[in-house]
Amino acid sequence: MSQPEYDDLATQLTRTLTDRADALSATPLGLAEVTGRARSIRRRRAATAVAGTAAVVALLVPTAALARHSGERPEPGPATQSTTPTETSAPVDARAPLDVRGLPEGKPPANGYLVAGLMHLADGDTATVSSRHRVDAFAVLSDGTEVFHTLTDQGVGSVEVTDSGGTEHGPYPAGFGLAVDDSRTAAAWVSPDGQVRTWVATHTAPTAIAPPLPGGAAQVASMSGDCSAATPCRVLVRTTDQTTGKSTDHVVSSDGTTAPADPAHRFVDVSDVSGFGLVAGYTRIGEGDSCSAVASGSGPVDWKTCDHSLLAFSPDLTSVSADSDFRSGTGSSVLAAYDVATGHLLFEHRSTLKTQAFVTSTVWEDDTHLLATVYQHGRWSVVRFGLDGSMEIAVSAEQGRNFESPIVLAGQP
């Protein structure tokens, strides 16, 4: 099959020449060393994607959705260190069409999902959601507490909680996004006034952490650490000035502190951060394209790609998910993943003129699998993507509109 067939229409029409990164010095702490340290303690982070309304798209494009749990992988090889970041390219044999028709059936999502107001939990049980508003993100904490992020028809967000005893709490005003900590003992969101709040398992009310963030509309992107432990948990939050459109990324900690997500100013937009200094994000966002990179510590970027947008690190921090280099709507015609240490493309599934499919949200199910909601030919499915390029159905197809998935994946630690 010829290469042009794998190029999505948006890329063919909008991609322009991309800038090259300036020469940078070598990273003081090797990327493989960072990932090795992280994996020894098994950090797990999570976040959920927000999609479906014009307001959300305007705020978040290009958007990221994040993270998940489990497994053990071999130590990655050392990252290439040089005075300039490695620029990745996509090997032809890593590419395949994004086509969910005729895929084999696999097991349901490990952490559950929601469809038509019914939660399907990890243990096989089901539960009805009582909220009268649309749930666009949810998480189930370690004690069984259910935390829902909901949106009204006008796009106004709130968080509603049903604790382990069945008592309902809220709604609490909320911006966009909901994240879960590594141990699944807490969920985090941000209120419209910029106040980051957490709900900790066994608690009966939300807790405010750190002073409110200035800067307009805010979105929670991801969370790391353990809010129940002595070490603080950290929440990645993006604020966007609705007058200028300028966004700022912050790391808000349960110890009461707030810091820039990228103090070295290497990124124009941060997609994900780990508790061990790994950062993924955009180094450039153009009118119809972008470039993304991975960096460790406060040093220069280790490698970059202008073929995709980097999204979220895997739970063991050895891989990073990716999608289109530029999103012009509610979904992406591409799903891919890269090796964190080397920047090598692990797989790419791209919509073609024949398949006409797109992805709206992704989460890491474990170290080697991504779950994604995929729309194709009038139907939505949850598809499990392996780093080896494999695909299988995790939730069978549901009919729905092509801009709003009826299936919501649970937040993954």
Side-chain angles (χ1 to χ4, degrees):
M1 189 174 292
S2 62
Q3 177 57 39
E5 185 173 346
Y6 288 101
D7 292 334
D8 59 284
L9 292 175
T11 299
Q12 293 180 48
L13 294 173
T14 62
R15 178 169 290 171
T16 59
L17 294 175
T18 56
D19 296 336
R20 300 297 180 185
D22 294 332
L24 296 169
S25 60
T27 307
L29 179 62
L31 195 58
E33 185 178 355
V34 173
T35 56
R37 291 183 184 181
R39 195 165 50 260
S40 68
I41 305 182
R42 304 291 300 150
R43 306 297 269 192
R44 294 171 180 171
R45 304 123 25 262
T48 52
V50 179
T53 66
V56 176
V57 175
L59 175 64
L60 302 180
V61 170
T63 60
L66 298 118
R68 196 28 178 169
H69 158 185
S70 175
E72 194 66 48
R73 297 184 63 207
E75 183 75 17
T80 301
Q81 301 295 326
S82 62
T83 57
T84 58
T86 301
E87 183 162 355
T88 68
S89 60
V92 174
D93 60 1
R95 293 190 174 107
L98 179 61
D99 190 352
V100 307
R101 296 169 298 181
L103 291 179
E105 295 276 346
K107 62 184 179 181
N111 248 28
Y113 63 97
L114 184 152
V115 61
L118 188 67
M119 278 192 303
H120 298 256
L121 303 175
D123 59 6
D125 287 346
T126 59
T128 301
V129 178
S130 60
S131 176
R132 60 189 179 91
H133 299 305
R134 180 172 66 86
V135 176
D136 71 322
F138 78 102
V140 181
L141 303 185
S142 56
D143 69 337
T145 295
E146 300 158 357
V147 184
F148 304 96
H149 186 282
T150 66
L151 287 173
T152 67
D153 291 339
Q154 292 73 40
V156 178
S158 62
V159 166
E160 302 174 35
V161 179
T162 302
D163 65 28
S164 57
T167 302
E168 297 180 355
H169 305 265
Y172 306 101
F176 298 111
L178 182 72
V180 188
D181 73 354
D182 295 347
S183 60
R184 208 184 296 130
T185 57
W189 67 92
V190 59
S191 57
D193 62 359
Q195 179 66 66
V196 178
R197 301 180 186 276
T198 62
W199 188 286
V200 180
T202 73
H203 286 197
T204 57
T207 301
I209 63 172
L213 291 168
Q219 177 213 3
V220 165
S222 67
M223 195 173 183
S224 62
D226 183 347
C227 290
S228 66
T231 56
C233 53
R234 305 162 74 223
V235 184
L236 173 62
V237 183
R238 176 175 301 120
T239 57
T240 302
D241 188 307
Q242 294 182 308
T243 300
T244 65
K246 178 178 174 55
S247 63
T248 306
D249 300 301
H250 317 263
V251 174
V252 180
S253 175
S254 59
D255 65 7
T257 61
T258 299
D262 176 37
H265 304 292
R266 298 158 296 182
F267 299 90
V268 298
D269 196 333
V270 174
S271 299
D272 198 11
V273 297
S274 79
F276 288 83
L278 283 178
V279 183
Y282 294 94
T283 58
R284 178 186 183 277
I285 300 177
E287 293 184 358
D289 59 3
S290 69
C291 294
S292 293
V294 164
S296 51
S298 59
V301 300
D302 292 277
W303 56 266
K304 74 168 187 174
T305 177
C306 297
D307 293 333
H308 301 96
S309 298
L310 300 181
L311 300 180
F313 294 117
S314 61
D316 63 358
L317 303 182
T318 62
S319 307
V320 58
S321 58
D323 66 4
S324 304
D325 66 338
F326 186 82
R327 279 191 177 190
S328 58
T330 59
S332 169
S333 58
V334 179
L335 184 62
Y338 285 82
D339 184 278
V340 166
T342 65
H344 292 160
L345 182 72
L346 299 173
F347 76 83
E348 179 195 75
H349 293 280
R350 184 179 290 267
S351 183
T352 71
L353 296 174
K354 292 181 179 179
T355 64
Q356 297 287 306
F358 65 86
V359 173
T360 56
S361 64
T362 61
V363 294
W364 284 98
E365 185 179 35
D366 55 43
D367 294 338
T368 59
H369 294 91
L370 282 156
L371 294 171
T373 51
V374 182
Y375 179 84
Q376 186 176 27
H377 298 282
R379 300 179 72 83
W380 289 91
S381 305
V382 176
V383 181
R384 180 176 290 107
F385 294 82
L387 295 182
D388 60 359
S390 62
M391 299 170 63
E392 65 180 18
I393 296 294
V395 178
S396 298
E398 296 277 344
Q399 290 186 331
R401 294 176 291 179
N402 65 359
F403 58 87
E404 182 182 311
S405 172
I407 308 170
V408 181
L409 295 168
Q412 314 289 338

